Every structure is written in structure tokens, then in C-alpha cells.
Amino acid sequence: MGAPVVTDRRTALMTGCVLLGVGSWMIWQAYEARGRVRPFWVRFLPGA
């Protein structure tokens, strides 16, 4: 598979957590903040 893109484990974990939080916020902005109903498939995304 090859070498990891991010070599430091702690940096990889922090980056993943931040991106998960930003992604969850963006999904919230796309649906909840606009008064729309989330599609069914969005329920399977982590943090949504």
C-alpha cells in the first residue's frame, strides 16, 4: 500500500478529527440550517 502520507500518528489523528468536525458542520449547514430534511443516506455518515 505504501508509506503513510502523514508520518506522525498524532498529527494524522488531529487532522482527521478536525476534518470530521468541519464535514459535520458543513452537512448541518447544507440541511438543518436551511430548514431542509436530510436525505436518508446522510444518516450513515459519521458525525451527521
Side-chain angles (χ1 to χ4, degrees):
M1 183 142 202
V5 176
V6 180
T7 56
D8 183 42
R9 179 183 169 273
R10 184 177 173 101
T11 302
L13 286 171
M14 293 304 291
T15 303
C17 289
V18 167
L19 291 176
L20 181 62
V22 169
S24 298
W25 177 73
M26 291 176 78
I27 290 171
W28 181 82
Q29 285 286 316
Y31 294 105
E32 315 281 327
R34 290 180 169 87
R36 295 188 170 223
V37 177
R38 290 182 301 169
F40 179 74
W41 63 269
V42 172
R43 297 177 189 186
F44 295 106
L45 297 175

